[in-house]
């Protein structure tokens, strides 16, 4: 029966991140810098809120958009942290992680043949959804601009078919974010154009050099903001995301969400409410630790003479593979695993513009980072 499967689904592949991490997962004594999974446990008070939800039988359907208390908390959190203002009754949707939010946003705004402009390299979770809608992903090479997706790079790719521009900042895989001035320039250029902005801000609480700023502050009427608790509160498995959009957009996205999942998990919603209220600043301790790790890893990579941009947010380094190795990114990652039992993600997983690089996640302890980087340094000394 496989011949009857939707051809667009058959044409997409499993994420290169997962593909490579699954390939090496069973290797003994492996030091893995692959998956972007916080190594901190979910805070105890959040777990207790989930347990209480179960014990008090809060196990039924909620409003399709999520409980009003959680939407209100999300609205207040976004306002206090980032200066974003959305009405909880009509402009906030609680989703099953940021991934579902991205999916329902694209399914609402994209039509056959419409184009979506994205920076390259980029997290691989957008392109398959775009293609399944019959739309066309248009990647813009940001490598020579220090991975900064500025309006001057975007302009040449805008056509009459452009429906959406994706701003995934802070960035997975590069760690780069955009300044307030850069966001204002994009907003000013798009103000009178019929183009949506999808701003994926899942790493907004993990910024190191300046406070996160959202383009939703400057162009709310065209912007769909995606966020969630996976990274900020170490709640990846709880699967709670948020979609913020003006009512005239959100009311249509809600229809897609309703028929897709009905509502987010009720127990996780209770835990999420606790995270956004009592856990308003839970990310602070994690952010401090990530920043210390970032600084350590950057110093080590510099000492190895490896070319990389110092991350401004998230918990990744995107590192250029030395040309002297004469290896593409997949072969480099495979050789590194075989020779040193250190796993990184091939840059090719992040679009064609990631080729020649590898992603290193520092969402792991110093006790893991130090020996793993020692192995990487030894590998480079031998191979060069």
């Amino acid at each position: 029966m496989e011949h009857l499967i939707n051809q667009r689904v058959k044409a997409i592949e499993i994420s290169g991140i997962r593909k490579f991490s699954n390939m090496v997962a069973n290797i003994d004594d492996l030091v893995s810098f692959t998956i972007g999974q916080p190594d901190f446990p979910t805070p105890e008070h959040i777990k207790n809120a989930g347990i209480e939800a179960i014990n008090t039988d809060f196990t039924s359907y909620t409003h399709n958009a999520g409980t009003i208390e959680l939407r209100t908390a999300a609205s207040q959190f976004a306002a206090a942290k980032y200066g974003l203002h959305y009405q909880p009754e009509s402009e906030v949707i609680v989703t099953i992680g940021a991934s579902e939010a991205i999916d329902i946003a694209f399914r609402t705004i994209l039509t056959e043949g419409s184009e979506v402009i994205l920076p390259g390299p980029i997290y691989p979770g957008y392109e398959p959804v775009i293609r399944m809608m019959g739309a066309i992903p248009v990647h813009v090479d940001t490598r020579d601009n220090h991975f900064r997706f500025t309006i001057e790079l975007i302009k040449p790719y805008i056509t009459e078919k452009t429906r959406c521009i994706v701003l995934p900042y802070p960035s997975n895989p590069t760690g780069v974010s955009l300044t307030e001035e850069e966001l204002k320039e994009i907003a000013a250029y798009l103000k009178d154009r019929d183009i949506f902005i999808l701003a994926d801000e899942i790493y907004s609480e993990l910024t190191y050099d300046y406070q996160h700023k959202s383009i939703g502050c400057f162009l709310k009427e065209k912007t769909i903001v995606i966020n969630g608790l996976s990274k900020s509160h170490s709640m990846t498995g709880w699967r709670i995301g948020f979609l913020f959009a003006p009512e005239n957009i959100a009311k249509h996205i809600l229809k897609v969400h309703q028929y897709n999942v009905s509502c987010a998990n009720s127990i996780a919603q209770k835990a999420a409410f606790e995270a956004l209220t009592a856990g308003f600043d839970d990310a602070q301790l994690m952010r401090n630790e990530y920043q210390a790790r970032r600084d350590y890893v950057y110093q080590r990579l510099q000492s190895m003479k490896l070319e990389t941009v110092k991350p401004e947010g998230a918990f990744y380094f995107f590192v250029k593979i030395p040309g002297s190795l004469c290896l593409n990114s997949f072969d480099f990652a495979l050789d590194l695993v075989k020779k040193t039992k250190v796993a990184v993600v091939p840059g090719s997983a992040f679009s064609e513009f990631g080729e020649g690089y590898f992603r290193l996640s520092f969402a792991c302890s110093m006790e893991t980072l130090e020996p793993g980087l020692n192995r990487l340094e030894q590998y480079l000394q031998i191979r060069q």
Side-chain angles (χ1 to χ4, degrees), residues 104-352:
I104 60 177
F106 279 149
R107 286 206 277 157
T108 302
I109 67 175
L110 298 183
T111 55
E112 191 82 23
S114 56
E115 295 176 351
V116 180
I117 301 176
L118 315 97
I122 190 171
Y123 173 70
Y126 310 101
E127 182 174 345
V129 183
I130 294 167
R131 292 195 179 280
M132 283 191 286
M133 290 304 303
I136 302 164
V138 179
H139 290 95
V140 176
D141 187 355
T142 65
R143 292 173 294 182
D144 291 339
N145 198 37
H146 304 288
F147 303 119
R148 308 196 75 79
F149 193 41
T150 57
I151 191 57
E152 294 308 317
L153 289 185
I154 294 170
K155 282 180 184 178
Y157 292 89
I158 293 178
T159 72
E160 68 279 359
K161 294 183 179 179
T162 302
R163 182 65 55 82
C164 181
I165 295 172
V166 176
L167 297 180
Y169 295 106
S171 165
N172 173 7
T174 68
V176 166
S177 199
L178 296 184
T179 66
E180 181 172 339
E181 187 58 36
E182 288 168 334
L183 293 171
K184 284 181 176 178
E185 289 174 353
I186 294 171
Y189 187 79
L190 297 179
K191 182 173 176 57
D192 297 321
R193 290 172 168 81
D194 289 335
I195 298 173
F196 290 101
I197 297 170
L198 189 143
D200 183 353
E201 302 178 2
I202 190 67
Y203 293 98
S204 60
E205 280 295 276
L206 303 180
T207 58
Y208 310 117
D209 300 311
Y210 46 82
Q211 188 174 6
H212 173 75
K213 198 70 179 179
S214 174
I215 196 168
C217 293
F218 313 120
L219 202 61
K220 177 180 175 179
E221 67 271 21
K222 299 176 187 293
T223 301
I224 300 167
V225 176
I226 308 295
N227 215 312
L229 300 177
S230 289
K231 315 301 182 180
S232 62
H233 291 76
S234 196
M235 293 177 67
T236 53
W238 295 80
R239 308 311 301 136
I240 290 291
F242 302 105
L243 185 148
F244 302 93
E247 182 178 1
N248 64 336
I249 300 172
K251 67 181 182 181
H252 297 294
I253 298 176
L254 181 59
K255 292 183 285 187
V256 181
H257 169 75
Q258 173 192 344
Y259 289 114
N260 190 24
V261 299
S262 294
C263 64
N265 179 294
S266 60
I267 298 158
Q269 287 191 57
K270 279 290 189 182
F273 175 78
E274 174 74 11
L276 293 179
T277 52
F280 186 82
D281 287 320
D282 275 357
Q284 182 65 52
L285 290 176
M286 291 184 276
R287 180 167 58 244
N288 291 344
E289 178 61 26
Y290 287 136
Q291 184 164 354
R293 296 174 188 177
R294 178 200 67 164
D295 294 344
Y296 170 72
V297 175
Y298 184 68
Q299 179 270 321
R300 290 296 306 273
L301 296 176
Q302 291 287 97
S303 71
M304 296 179 212
K305 306 274 193 291
L306 288 172
E307 184 180 329
T308 189
V309 172
K310 191 175 186 178
E312 297 158 327
F315 36 59
Y316 309 105
F317 279 89
F318 206 56
V319 187
K320 192 167 187 178
I321 299 168
S324 59
L325 297 183
C326 300
L327 294 171
N328 65 34
S329 62
F330 184 86
D331 289 342
F332 167 82
L334 197 58
D335 194 51
L336 183 65
V337 165
K338 288 179 178 178
K339 299 260 178 32
T340 68
K341 294 188 177 181
V342 171
V344 295
V345 180
S348 56
F350 304 96
S351 86
E352 63 181 294

Side-chain angles (χ1 to χ4, degrees), residues 17-35:
I17 304 171
R18 290 287 181 177
K19 187 182 296 184
F20 194 82
S21 60
N22 291 343
M23 182 187 304
V24 302
N26 294 322
I27 296 175
D28 291 335
D29 192 32
L30 179 74
V31 176
S32 179
F33 298 141
T34 57
I35 298 297

